């Protein structure tokens, strides 16, 4: 139905060990098909135990929403595998309504998931499968303490898949803390820095910020 005929490289490498129950540490950039690489074994796992749940953590609301779209298409919106999208900037009331339907798959950003955990500490008590997408971005954005708080509420007996475009020391340390003897899979070269990008810092003030921004935009091309 989704025209999935031949797996992408990351899918071919990640899905078999995930289906066997292994944790997976994957290196893959956006656009390589990694959402399906963790969603397919996740759904397979949930179909074997109708009391189980899964959690997908994403660094941004946009990526979380894209993941939800893929998951809903794979499950064909199967009510037995209901989903909830818990992201910042969205109505809490709307999210409470999703949770009242007892979703089996929760997809969201760390901050908003913690908001819900403060109201319901047992929200993730049946989670048996966790996927962390773009983990390097998540740590760069300062989510490490929030992620620690989330994992403190999830059963220790769980399967975890983690994907990252790069593997700085912070990611290696994180993976050692939470993954159990993971299968390492990689597509392309994991580089610490994106090519041909210069980073500069300009000091400004609240009053001058807009004028300085416009001046910088005018001075640049492309």
């Amino acid at each position: 139905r989704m025209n999935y005929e031949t797996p992408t490289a990351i899918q071919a490498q990640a899905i078999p060990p995930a289906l066997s129950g292994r944790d997976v540490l994957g290196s893959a950039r956006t656009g390589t098909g990694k959402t399906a690489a963790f969603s397919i074994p996740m759904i397979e796992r949930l179909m074997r135990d109708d009391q189980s749940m899964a959690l997908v953590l994403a660094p941004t609301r946009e990526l979380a929403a894209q993941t939800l779209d893929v998951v809903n298409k794979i499950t064909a919106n199967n009510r037995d595998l209901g989903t909830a999208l818990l992201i910042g900037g969205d109505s809490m009331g709307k999210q409470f309504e999703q949770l009242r339907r007892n979703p089996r798959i929760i997809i969201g950003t760390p901050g908003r998931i913690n908001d819900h955990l403060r109201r319901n500490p047992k929200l993730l008590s049946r989670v048996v499968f966790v996927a962390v997408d773009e983990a390097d971005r998540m740590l760069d954005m300062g989510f490490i303490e929030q992620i620690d708080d989330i994992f403190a509420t999830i059963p220790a007996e769980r399967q975890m898949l983690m994907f990252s475009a790069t593997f700085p020391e912070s990611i290696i340390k994180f993976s050692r803390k939470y993954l159990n003897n993971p299968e390492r899979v990689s597509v392309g070269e994991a580089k610490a820095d994106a090519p041909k990008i210069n980073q500069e810092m300009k000091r400004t003030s609240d009053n001058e910020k807009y004028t300085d921004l416009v001046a910088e935009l005018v001075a640049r091309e492309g």
Side-chain angles (χ1 to χ4, degrees), residues 53-114:
M53 291 176 62
L55 171 69
V56 180
L57 288 173
T60 67
R61 67 185 75 172
E62 292 80 11
L63 183 58
Q66 291 169 19
T67 301
L68 176 75
D69 183 57
V70 172
V71 169
N72 282 341
K73 286 178 178 176
I74 294 175
T75 63
N77 291 299
N78 184 333
R79 290 186 178 181
D80 291 334
L81 293 170
T83 57
L85 181 65
L86 308 183
I87 56 176
D90 200 16
S91 163
M92 287 291 283
K94 173 183 171 184
Q95 293 173 12
F96 288 145
E97 182 58 34
Q98 293 178 55
L99 294 174
R100 276 193 284 270
R101 300 189 191 115
N102 296 315
R104 302 276 305 284
I105 302 170
I106 291 178
I107 301 167
T109 49
R112 181 51 61 93
I113 289 173
N114 270 307

Side-chain angles (χ1 to χ4, degrees), residues 79-158:
R79 290 186 178 181
D80 291 334
L81 293 170
T83 57
L85 181 65
L86 308 183
I87 56 176
D90 200 16
S91 163
M92 287 291 283
K94 173 183 171 184
Q95 293 173 12
F96 288 145
E97 182 58 34
Q98 293 178 55
L99 294 174
R100 276 193 284 270
R101 300 189 191 115
N102 296 315
R104 302 276 305 284
I105 302 170
I106 291 178
I107 301 167
T109 49
R112 181 51 61 93
I113 289 173
N114 270 307
D115 289 342
H116 284 279
L117 282 171
R118 280 188 280 272
R119 293 169 171 81
N120 178 11
K122 295 184 178 181
L123 176 64
L124 305 177
S125 62
R126 293 189 289 120
V127 166
V128 299
F129 189 105
V130 179
V132 179
D133 198 6
E134 299 199 2
D136 49 347
R137 286 183 65 191
M138 213 163 321
L139 297 193
D140 285 345
M141 294 167 71
F143 286 137
I144 185 63
E145 290 185 5
Q146 295 178 341
I147 294 171
D148 285 341
D149 290 343
I150 290 169
F151 275 96
T153 72
I154 298 175
E157 290 294 322
R158 59 178 179 252

Side-chain angles (χ1 to χ4, degrees), residues 188-201:
E189 184 180 356
K191 297 181 180 179
D193 299 302
K196 298 181 181 177
I197 292 179
N198 293 323
Q199 297 187 44
E200 301 174 9
M201 180 174 71

Side-chain angles (χ1 to χ4, degrees), residues 170-188:
S170 59
I171 287 292
I172 301 301
K173 183 178 178 182
F174 180 81
S175 67
R176 288 172 180 160
K177 184 176 182 179
Y178 287 116
L179 274 70
N180 178 30
N181 187 28
E183 178 85 9
R184 178 75 178 266
V185 300
S186 178
V187 173

